[in-house]
Amino acid sequence: MLAAAVVLVGGVSFTGADVDASVKSKPHGDSRLDEIQRRGYIRACTPGDYRPFALRQADGSYKGLDITMVNDLAKALEVQVRYVPSPWSALVPTFTSQKCDIAIGGISVTLTRQKDVFFSKTVLVNGKVPLTRCENVSRFQKIADMNKPSVKVITPPGGTNEAFARANLPLADLIVWPNNITIFDEIVAGRADVMVTEATEAVVQSKVHPELCAVNPDKPLQYGELGYMLPKGDIVWKEFVDQWLHLLIASGQFQKFYDADVR
């Protein structure tokens, strides 16, 4: 496994009793599950800039753990996948405008997002950790070490990394960097001191950029879970996705996907 902060979560899929009783399940014929099978493809929203979950390639194709996963989901339904590029700042509005059936790509489960969407059962338990140049690991061990005017904290816009930085590091010199692919080069070059991100991404980026180190990835600063966004109110589609996830994890197939795409 990657680190103790990145834990596989099994368990039983949710049922209609697990959601608010005021939310009624759609009639079976109106479910997104039936619509997907009729049209022959799943529409998957993704920012496409988050390694190792979903990264858009130069030729327009995608790769990563969540890409492997959604392709497996499509295989189970005997349909294709069509990706809908959705930046983090517009992910929920794009999704709730019914342009997508599922949203993937390293998406953190938050109560703010939960107001507008359903989430699948948890795919990974994760957490926020600092990513910095290796010589600075001892310098950034806790939040107080980064919450200083002299520290340049860098973050991509619109996601939970920015939310964490604004909530917990108000005194830091915050740099909002628009590109979540080149953002790591700013830390390597010394134009930024540290970034707070998910443990999975921090460890993977430390392998891509040997100059960078994840700080205590097995002891995150904040607990977090990753899952897939699903349409609010569609219990039939949610239960199908949850059952698919449950079987994938319980059978060990998810671990094989994880080992191939993340390790």
Side-chain angles (χ1 to χ4, degrees):
M1 291 298 298
L2 180 65
V6 182
V7 183
L8 302 184
V9 177
V12 180
S13 61
F14 293 115
T15 66
D18 294 315
V19 296
D20 193 296
S22 65
V23 178
K24 301 295 185 181
S25 175
K26 291 185 178 182
H28 184 62
D30 292 336
S31 171
R32 198 67 62 94
L33 174 63
D34 303 281
E35 182 182 329
I36 290 167
Q37 291 178 102
R38 284 195 300 268
R39 82 163 90 99
Y41 58 88
I42 297 173
R43 300 169 303 175
C45 275
T46 183
D49 62 358
Y50 196 173
R51 182 182 287 162
F53 299 105
L55 187 65
R56 188 173 186 178
Q57 307 299 292
D59 63 0
S61 64
Y62 291 81
K63 65 181 296 185
L65 176 61
D66 281 357
I67 302 305
T68 300
M69 291 287 283
V70 79
N71 282 330
D72 187 84
L73 176 60
K75 182 179 178 181
L77 291 167
E78 299 183 324
V79 299
Q80 303 297 312
V81 180
R82 294 186 184 180
Y83 296 102
V84 180
S86 311
W88 290 105
S89 58
L91 183 60
V92 172
T94 300
F95 190 81
T96 55
S97 65
Q98 299 187 2
K99 294 180 180 179
C100 311
D101 308 302
I102 190 170
I104 63 171
I107 299 173
S108 295
V109 177
T110 70
L111 293 178
T112 299
R113 289 170 174 163
Q114 186 81 45
K115 294 174 184 177
D116 298 306
V117 304
F118 275 174
F119 275 99
S120 70
K121 65 175 295 181
T122 304
V123 179
L124 289 174
V125 172
N126 222 317
K128 300 292 186 186
V129 303
L131 178 67
T132 186
R133 291 185 301 281
C134 292
E135 64 267 24
N136 288 334
V137 167
S138 61
R139 181 183 169 193
F140 300 123
Q141 288 288 305
K142 54 186 184 295
I143 290 176
D145 297 335
M146 296 178 284
N147 191 30
K148 300 176 181 179
S150 60
V151 177
K152 294 181 179 180
V153 176
I154 195 165
T155 182
T160 57
N161 288 348
E162 182 183 7
F164 179 92
R166 293 195 181 281
N168 296 279
L169 308 172
L171 300 181
D173 182 3
L174 186 63
I175 303 168
V176 179
W177 191 257
N179 190 315
N180 199 42
I181 296 174
T182 63
I183 193 170
F184 306 100
D185 298 328
E186 296 301 296
I187 309 173
V188 171
R191 292 186 287 271
D193 296 314
V194 63
M195 173 184 179
V196 179
T197 187
E198 302 297 334
T200 307
E201 182 177 44
V203 172
V204 168
Q205 288 297 336
S206 70
K207 295 177 182 178
V208 176
H209 303 280
E211 305 92 337
L212 303 181
C213 286
V215 180
N216 303 324
D218 57 338
K219 297 179 181 179
L221 301 171
Q222 180 187 69
Y223 175 83
E225 296 182 359
L226 302 182
Y228 302 140
M229 282 176 18
L230 301 168
K232 185 177 180 180
D234 195 334
I235 304 298
V236 172
W237 177 225
K238 174 175 165 53
E239 287 194 333
F240 184 90
V241 173
D242 283 349
Q243 186 68 5
W244 160 74
L245 270 172
H246 167 66
L247 294 173
L248 210 65
I249 293 171
S251 68
Q253 186 59 51
F254 176 81
Q255 183 66 59
K256 293 178 182 178
F257 289 161
Y258 182 93
D259 291 344
D261 290 318
V262 178
R263 280 189 169 179

